């Protein structure tokens, strides 16, 4: 048998298999909203309900994973981040939208809502400039990132107090950056560390916790490029929105890979959701980038199928 005949025989009996091309995960559109909608942030409550904010139309939305998302409440302020707890909902908000210019920086506040969406407490944060992502690190110890002031604030919803928790220039926007991307953005707690994304600097920093206080200096975990909110997966890797076309995965060693190389339409937030721990992604339809596509809620198959860090 000639070499050509041997190769052909091997192919026909399956001994030679061409390498499979890398495939993107399955993506479905959960919901689509008119261009001009700015979907911003989300949180899953302990009972498995997903809440997300629609910033420009002042809405807090809810989704059970089956039917179409529906409005929980229309607010009189512009909701940024949402933190869904067992008995209430915490929201960072701006009295004016950032699209109207710098005067919005004098209108920062935090709201406490009932599970049904009724506002039960409103706390002004006059020293904050751009309240953004939140995380609860202990009962009623809630941290909120400030994207312009280079600070993280500590909020006690029972006492109604807002106090500085950590200040560092690395939390602020990059003064050399040509765009006006925010600084400190998303906050997540993982294995005794607080992780902070910085959109302008394209970095993910972290600081060790000692109880409810920071211990030591900020530490660079990964250089990511533009990054918005993010979520931890069960294997210790991170899925991160980029406020661009990509959805990325940050590995425990800090290396970066694409989950989706395109199609995220300026995604702002990502979380795991449901029994399969699929990734839910919020997009803005490239609103601030000059696009004209709808804002969407996407469901993306997780790179860690069947497992996740959240309910």
């Amino acid at each position: 048998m000639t070499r050509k005949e041997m190769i052909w025989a091997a192919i026909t009996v399956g001994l030679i298999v061409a390498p499979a091309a890398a495939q993107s995960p399955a993506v479905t559109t959960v919901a689509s909203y008119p261009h001009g909608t700015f979907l911003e942030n989300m949180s899953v409550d302990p009972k498995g309900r997903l809440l997300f904010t629609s910033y420009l139309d002042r809405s807090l939305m809810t989704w059970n994973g089956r039917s179409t998302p529906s409005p929980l409440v229309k607010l009189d302020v512009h909701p940024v981040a949402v933190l869904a707890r067992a008995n209430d909902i915490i929201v960072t908000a701006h009295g004016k939208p950032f699209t109207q210019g710098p005067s919005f920086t004098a209108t920062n506040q935090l709201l406490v809502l009932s599970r049904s969406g009724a506002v039960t407490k409103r706390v002004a944060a006059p020293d904050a400039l751009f309240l953004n992502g939140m995380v609860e690190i202990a009962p009623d110890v809630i941290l909120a990132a400030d994207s312009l002031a280079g600070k993280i604030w500590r909020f006690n919803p029972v006492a109604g107090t807002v106090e500085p928790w950590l200040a560092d220039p690395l939390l602020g926007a990059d003064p050399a950056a040509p765009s006006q991307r925010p600084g400190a953005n998303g906050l997540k707690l993982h294995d005794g560390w607080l992780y902070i994304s910085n959109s302008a600097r394209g970095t993910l920093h972290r600081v060790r916790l000692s109880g409810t206080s920071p211990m030591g200096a900020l530490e660079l975990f990964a250089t990511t490029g533009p990054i918005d909110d993010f979520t931890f997966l069960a294997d210790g890797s991170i899925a991160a929105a980029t406020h661009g076309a990509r959805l990325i995965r940050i590995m425990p060693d800090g290396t970066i890979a694409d989950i989706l190389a395109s199609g995220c339409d300026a995604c702002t937030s990502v979380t795991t959701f449901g029994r399969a721990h699929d990734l839910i992604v919020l997009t803005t339809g490239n609103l601030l980038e000059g696009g004209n596509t709808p804002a969407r809620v996407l469901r993306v198959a997780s790179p860690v199928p069947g497992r996740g860090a959240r309910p």
Side-chain angles (χ1 to χ4, degrees), residues 36-302:
T37 304
F38 194 90
L39 304 179
E40 169 62 358
N41 216 317
M42 57 186 156
S43 178
V44 181
D45 74 14
K47 294 185 178 181
R49 177 179 63 163
L50 179 72
L51 298 173
F52 62 93
T53 58
S54 183
Y55 181 83
L56 291 176
D57 61 8
R58 309 193 311 275
S59 296
L60 181 61
M61 308 291 291
T62 181
W63 186 49
N64 61 12
R66 297 180 296 278
S67 58
T68 303
S70 58
L72 180 68
V73 62
K74 185 91 166 184
L75 298 166
D76 61 356
V77 291
H78 298 270
V80 188
V82 56
L83 177 64
R85 307 196 302 170
N87 298 312
D88 60 20
I89 304 164
I90 312 297
V91 171
T92 55
H94 305 152
K96 294 182 180 180
F98 60 74
T99 53
Q100 289 185 5
S103 63
F104 86 92
T105 59
T107 67
N108 284 265
Q109 53 197 273
L110 293 109
L111 307 181
V112 182
L113 285 66
S114 69
R115 280 183 50 84
S116 63
V119 177
T120 62
K121 184 176 289 187
R122 188 186 303 260
V123 179
D127 296 325
L129 296 179
F130 189 151
L131 289 178
N132 206 325
M134 287 184 291
V135 68
E136 186 170 34
I137 61 171
D140 294 323
V141 181
I142 296 170
L143 303 182
D146 192 321
S147 296
L148 291 180
K151 290 182 180 180
I152 296 173
W153 300 91
R154 173 175 172 156
F155 174 53
N156 183 319
V158 176
T161 55
V162 182
E163 304 169 320
W165 186 81
L166 178 65
D168 193 297
L170 292 175
L171 298 173
D174 183 356
S179 67
Q180 298 301 309
R181 292 182 183 273
N185 197 323
L187 302 177
K188 292 294 182 291
L189 182 65
H190 184 71
D191 285 347
W193 293 83
L194 177 71
Y195 287 75
I196 310 114
S197 61
N198 188 306
S199 299
R201 297 178 184 272
T203 55
L204 188 65
H205 280 81
R206 66 179 185 174
V207 63
R208 175 73 76 176
L209 297 183
S210 176
T212 59
S213 300
M215 181 174 67
L218 280 175
E219 173 183 306
L220 179 65
F221 178 72
T223 299
T224 60
I227 183 174
D228 208 300
D229 200 22
F230 59 99
T231 191
F232 274 90
L233 306 178
D235 65 351
S237 66
I238 297 166
T242 62
H243 213 109
R246 301 166 63 208
L247 181 69
I248 63 172
R249 186 177 181 190
I250 307 166
M251 304 306 291
D253 64 0
T255 57
I256 310 297
D258 283 337
I259 298 174
L260 291 177
S262 63
C264 280
D265 303 336
C267 51
T268 54
S269 186
V270 57
T271 192
T272 56
F273 184 70
R275 292 182 179 179
H277 298 281
D278 289 337
L279 302 178
I280 305 300
V281 181
L282 301 182
T283 84
T284 65
N286 292 304
L287 178 62
L288 301 183
E289 291 73 25
N292 59 3
T293 55
R296 295 182 295 158
V297 181
L298 304 178
R299 189 168 204 153
V300 181
S302 173

